[in-house]
Amino acid sequence: MCGIAGYIGKNQANEFLLSALKKLEYRGYDSAGMTILDSDGSLGYVRSVGKICDLEKKMRNEKKITGFVGIAHTRWATHGCPSEKNTHPHHDCKKDIFIVHNGIIENYKSLKKSLEKSGHKFESETDTEIIAHLIESHFDGNLQQAVFNCLRHIEGAYAIAVVSKSDPDKIIVAKKGSPLVIGVGDGEYFVASDASALVGYTDRVIYLDDDEMGIIEKDKYKIVSTTNNNQIHKEHCKIDSNVCEIQKCGHEFFLLKEIFEGPEVVENSIRGRIISEKGLTKLGGLEVIDQDKLRNINRIIIIACGTANYAGMIGEYMLEEYAGIPVEVEIGSEFRYRKPIIDEKTAVLVVSQSGETADTIASLQEAKRKGALSLGIVNTVGSTIARETDAGVYNHAGPEISVASTKALMSQITVLALLTVYIGRSREMSLVTGKRITDELKKIPKLMNQVLDTNEDIKRIAQKYSKYRNFLYLGRKYNYPIACEGALKLKEVAYKIHAEGYAGGEMKHGPIAMIDENFPCFFIAPSDSVYEKMWSNMEEVKARNGKIIAIATEGNEDIKDLADDVIYIPKTLEMLTPILTAIPLHLFAAYMGIEFGFDVDKPRNLAKSVTVE
Ligand code: G6P
C-alpha cells in the first residue's frame, strides 16, 4: 500500500505534494513525510506520525520547507511500526539521497547486512531504507545511473521516487509491481501512485509499466528500461475525472457520499450497454476478443479479494443459473499459491475496484501463464489489471475514496449481471429472459433510491443496537455473499464490533450455539426462492431469544411477528436483490462507526489498495 507523490516545475512543490497526499491518503495513513530541494541547493525534509493533516500542521507551525522539486509519501506500515523514524522519505548516510517507496523489498535483510558490513548506518526498521543506501553505494554524481545499478540488486515490488542534493534538478522514478503515474503539466511534472491525485493539476498522464524508469526534469522527461537502459517511447493518456468526484460534496464522510451515489453509479455502469428490444447487452471491452473463443469457454474462475470477492460470489450464482456455465470463485491470496487446473477453455475473470490488489494481480498473471483467457471487471482506468487482462469491462463508478468499498460493489454486481446476459444470450438464454433481466436492471437505480430514502430509520436502528458487540449476518443463495459483506463492512468501519457472515443453512452447524438475547442477527430475507428456509432460521433464533433485524420485501407484514426491526426493500428479480439488500447493511455499518466517533473513511489498520501480499 502506501501512496507516493513527486513534483518538479515552476511552482512551490509542497502545494501539490500535500494535495496529492490527501487524495492518496486512502492508500495508507499512519504517517507521512516530504523532502524538498530548494533552488539554492539546500534540502529540507519533514516527517510526522498520523494523518496528512498532522504533517500539514507540522509544516505550517514547526518546519516550513520550500522549493521546486520534491517527493512525498503516506504510509501503511509493513516493516516497522508507525513511528517518525520509520516514516518516509528515507535517506542515505549523508542525507544526500532521499527516497519514497510503495511496495516490499523481499531481499532487504541480506542487502542490509552487506551494506552494514561496508559501513552504512541505518536509522529505521524499514525495507525501504536499504534502497537509499544502495543508491548511495553506486552514486558518483549521476543519480540516474546509480538508481539503475541499484535496482539490479533489488527483489520484490516497488514504485519509487528519488531525489539527490548532488544531482538536484531531477526526480528519478521507477516501477515494478506497484503503480506509478507521471502527470504532464505545462513546465511542470507530477508523480503519483494513481491518477486521481493529479485531478485539478493535469489530465495528461503517462502510466509507467513494470521495469521502467523515468528521469524527470523541469521541462523534459525520458523513460528508459531498467533491464537494459534503452529509451522507451510512451504515449500520453487523458484522464477524465472531475474535481467534484473526489470531494465530499456536502456529505460528512466519503463513505456516506459513495453509498448515496449508488443509483447514479448503476446508471453509469449500464449506460449504453443494454439493447432492450433484443434482450442483449453490449460490452465493448469484450468485443476485442474472438467471440468464438468466448463461446467455447467451458468454465469461469472469478478471482477477487474483499468486497469484490463477494460480488464475484453473486456473479457465480448469476452465471450458473442464467448463462449455464460452471463458475468457481477464488480469493486472490489462495489462488496464487494453489496448483490451479486451467486450460485454454478456462476464462479467469478478475474483479477489482482499484485494479491494483497485489494478490489479484499475481493470480491473474499465474492464470495467464497457464493459458487462460483473462477478463477483468475493473473500476480504475489504466490500472495494472485493466492493462494486463486480455479484455474487460470498466465499472464507470468514479473514484472510490472511502477505504471500505460500497459503490464499487453496486457496480460490480451490475456489470456481472450485464455479463451474465452477454454470455448467456450467446448460449442458451432466451430473448424473454434476456429482456426480463435487462428491463429489471434499468429499474434498479430508482429502487435503490427508495431504499436510500429509509436512511433515517437505518440510522435509528444502528443507534439502538450500538451497545451490542457481536452480530451474526445470515443469508442464502444470492444474499449469502451479502450477509458476508454486511459483516465485513461492520468489522471494517465499526471495529469495536465483531460480526460474522454465514449461509443461513450453516447456522445449525455452529453459530447457533452463540445465540442468546445479547446476540443480534441480521436476516437478509427478501421474498425469494429461499425465503421459507430463512423463515425457519428466524424461528430458530427467536426460540433462543436472539434479537432479529430483518431485511424483507415490501408488503411482507408477517415478518414482524419474528423480527424486532424490519428494513424493507422493493421487489425486484431475485438475482438483483443483492444490490438493494446491500444498501441498508452499508448504511448500518456507516452509522454504527459514526456513532462510535470513528473516521469511517479511514478505519484503523486498513488501506484501500492492498498492493502488498
Ligand atoms: C481492500 C479494501 C476493500 C476492497 C479490497 C479489494 O481490502 O479495503 O474495500 O474490497 O481491498 O480491493 P479491490 O480494489 O481489488 O476491489
Side-chain angles (χ1 to χ4, degrees):
M1 313 358 156
C2 303
I4 69 173
Y7 177 85
I8 183 163
K10 56 193 176 190
N11 293 311
Q12 286 294 334
N14 54 14
E15 194 266 332
F16 167 74
L17 293 176
L18 277 172
S19 153
L21 287 187
K22 284 179 194 161
K23 290 176 199 149
L24 294 171
E25 203 173 10
Y26 70 85
R27 302 176 66 89
Y29 35 82
D30 56 45
S31 51
M34 191 182 291
T35 298
I36 294 185
L37 291 163
D38 211 345
S39 35
D40 63 4
S42 64
L43 177 150
Y45 72 100
V46 52
R47 302 191 290 205
S48 154
V49 175
K51 297 193 171 155
I52 309 303
C53 55
D54 300 306
L55 177 72
E56 195 173 18
K57 230 181 277 159
K58 192 163 180 180
M59 289 176 71
R60 205 173 32 238
N61 301 332
E62 293 169 45
K63 197 148 184 204
K64 289 194 179 57
I65 50 173
T66 55
F68 302 93
V69 183
I71 55 174
H73 187 270
T74 181
R75 182 167 187 247
W76 185 87
T78 57
H79 295 62
C81 63
S83 64
E84 204 163 312
K85 72 174 171 40
N86 287 333
T87 302
H88 300 220
H90 289 289
H91 54 74
D92 63 340
C93 297
K94 296 196 278 297
K95 294 196 179 173
D96 180 312
I97 296 159
F98 279 72
I99 176 166
V100 290
H101 165 225
N102 164 214
I104 288 182
I105 305 305
E106 285 163 5
N107 59 338
Y108 86 100
K109 277 196 190 133
S110 57
L111 289 173
K112 192 169 178 175
K113 242 187 221 155
S114 71
L115 283 161
E116 274 172 339
K117 254 193 205 150
S118 49
H120 289 264
K121 296 265 174 296
F122 287 82
E123 289 184 359
S124 76
E125 301 152 277
T126 66
D127 53 336
T128 301
E129 196 184 354
I130 63 108
I131 310 178
H133 290 272
L134 205 53
I135 297 172
E136 180 182 25
S137 70
H138 289 283
F139 191 63
D140 60 4
N142 180 336
L143 188 60
Q144 174 187 343
Q145 194 56 42
V147 174
F148 177 81
N149 289 335
C150 153
L151 293 179
R152 297 204 333 252
H153 300 277
I154 282 178
E155 286 162 24
Y158 56 79
I160 55 169
V162 192
V163 291
S164 161
K165 226 170 22 170
S166 305
D167 192 1
D169 301 317
K170 59 182 64 128
I171 302 177
I172 309 289
V173 295
K175 159 183 158 49
K176 184 179 199 147
S178 301
L180 197 138
V181 56
I182 301 171
V184 181
D186 195 9
E188 55 188 352
Y189 288 97
F190 311 89
V191 174
S193 291
D194 80 44
S196 71
L198 308 178
V199 173
Y201 289 90
T202 183
D203 61 356
R204 283 179 298 154
V205 300
I206 301 152
Y207 291 102
L208 220 61
D209 283 309
D210 280 354
D211 302 313
E212 289 181 350
M213 185 164 122
I215 299 94
I216 312 169
E217 297 178 47
K218 190 161 92 271
D219 44 14
K220 61 177 194 279
Y221 74 92
K222 66 175 178 185
I223 311 288
V224 300
S225 153
T226 56
T227 41
N228 55 23
N229 229 343
N230 287 346
Q231 197 159 340
I232 298 166
H233 176 74
K234 292 191 80 105
E235 297 292 339
H236 300 170
C237 311
K238 263 195 164 268
I239 47 166
D240 62 0
S241 291
N242 66 50
V243 178
C244 183
E245 279 183 327
I246 50 170
Q247 288 174 350
K248 288 184 196 153
C249 301
H251 287 274
E252 196 186 346
F253 291 101
F254 279 111
L255 180 62
L256 286 176
K257 176 191 174 228
E258 288 162 6
I259 296 171
F260 280 91
E261 269 173 2
E264 188 188 327
V265 162
V266 172
E267 292 272 13
N268 290 339
S269 300
I270 60 179
R271 179 163 301 119
R273 288 173 166 172
I274 288 179
I275 308 168
S276 287
E277 64 289 357
K278 295 188 179 157
L280 289 174
T281 57
K282 184 175 164 47
L283 299 172
L286 298 187
E287 282 167 14
V288 297
I289 43 178
D290 176 358
Q291 297 300 294
D292 280 339
K293 187 163 186 191
L294 200 57
R295 256 187 295 273
N296 285 332
I297 291 301
N298 61 14
R299 177 168 159 250
I300 297 177
I301 305 175
I302 299 179
I303 305 168
C305 299
T307 290
N309 188 268
Y310 297 138
M313 284 163 69
I314 296 166
E316 176 183 27
Y317 285 99
M318 289 179 183
L319 284 158
E320 290 194 339
E321 181 168 1
Y322 287 100
I325 186 160
V327 180
E328 291 148 53
V329 185
E330 299 274 355
I331 300 164
S333 53
E334 287 298 317
F335 181 87
R336 64 185 292 186
Y337 294 115
R338 284 191 22 216
K339 194 180 157 216
I341 316 288
I342 286 174
D343 59 24
E344 72 286 355
K345 290 198 167 187
T346 305
V348 295
L349 170 62
V350 286
V351 185
S352 174
Q353 187 288 128
S354 62
E356 300 295 350
T357 300
D359 287 322
T360 311
I361 294 173
S363 302
L364 165 68
Q365 290 167 342
E366 181 61 18
K368 278 177 73 174
R369 226 172 278 131
K370 295 202 154 80
L373 172 70
S374 64
L375 310 174
I377 297 178
V378 176
N379 190 35
T380 307
V381 176
S383 57
T384 304
I385 293 178
R387 286 179 284 129
E388 288 201 7
T389 38
D390 294 321
V393 186
Y394 277 121
N395 288 103
H396 300 313
E400 192 179 61
I401 307 293
S402 166
V403 166
S405 189
T406 54
K407 67 173 181 174
L409 172 72
M410 303 306 180
S411 173
Q412 286 157 351
I413 303 171
T414 304
V415 172
L416 282 159
L418 293 170
L419 183 69
T420 300
V421 177
Y422 189 89
I423 295 178
R425 289 286 282 127
S426 68
R427 293 169 187 237
E428 58 200 32
M429 186 189 287
S430 68
L431 166 69
V432 176
T433 306
K435 239 177 112 27
R436 188 151 44 95
I437 297 172
T438 50
D439 285 350
E440 205 57 32
L441 252 180
K442 287 196 285 186
K443 292 186 207 151
I444 283 288
K446 199 168 151 224
L447 305 183
M448 292 171 82
N449 272 319
Q450 288 175 31
V451 185
L452 286 165
D453 284 345
T454 65
N455 70 309
E456 285 300 326
D457 296 333
I458 297 164
K459 189 192 274 181
R460 194 182 38 74
I461 295 172
Q463 284 159 353
K464 174 175 165 188
Y465 286 87
S466 61
K467 62 176 189 288
Y468 295 95
R469 289 295 166 267
N470 295 288
F471 281 75
L472 183 64
Y473 285 68
L474 294 174
R476 286 176 185 250
K477 211 174 163 187
Y478 285 102
N479 282 296
Y480 161 47
I482 292 298
C484 300
E485 164 66 6
L488 173 69
K489 213 51 62 189
L490 196 63
K491 284 183 278 202
E492 282 179 300
V493 302
Y495 39 82
K496 272 208 280 198
I497 297 176
H498 176 247
E500 286 292 338
Y502 245 81
E506 282 289 293
M507 183 180 74
K508 56 188 176 289
H509 297 295
I512 198 164
M514 299 185 291
I515 303 298
D516 61 20
E517 64 283 6
N518 295 314
F519 208 109
C521 296
F522 256 102
F523 278 85
I524 300 110
S527 304
D528 59 11
S529 62
V530 286
Y531 176 72
E532 299 306 328
K533 308 283 171 208
M534 289 301 289
W535 179 270
S536 307
N537 287 143
M538 272 188 280
E539 292 273 17
E540 287 153 14
V541 167
K542 202 76 227 165
R544 287 156 183 84
N545 296 323
K547 298 263 177 311
I548 294 178
I549 311 166
I551 299 178
T553 305
E554 269 164 13
N556 179 355
E557 291 299 317
D558 292 349
I559 203 160
K560 290 184 177 160
D561 295 345
L562 291 179
D564 298 271
D565 291 277
V566 183
I567 301 163
Y568 285 108
I569 60 155
K571 192 160 179 45
T572 184
L573 210 57
E574 181 171 354
M575 68 178 258
L576 300 178
T577 53
I579 303 182
L580 302 182
T581 54
I583 297 172
L585 300 182
H586 284 169
L587 284 171
F588 181 83
Y591 289 134
M592 193 68 98
I594 294 168
E595 179 73 15
F596 294 158
F598 294 163
D599 178 351
V600 293
D601 286 341
K602 303 185 201 91
R604 70 176 184 195
N605 303 343
L606 299 181
K608 182 138 194 79
S609 255
V610 185
T611 55
V612 295
E613 274 194 56

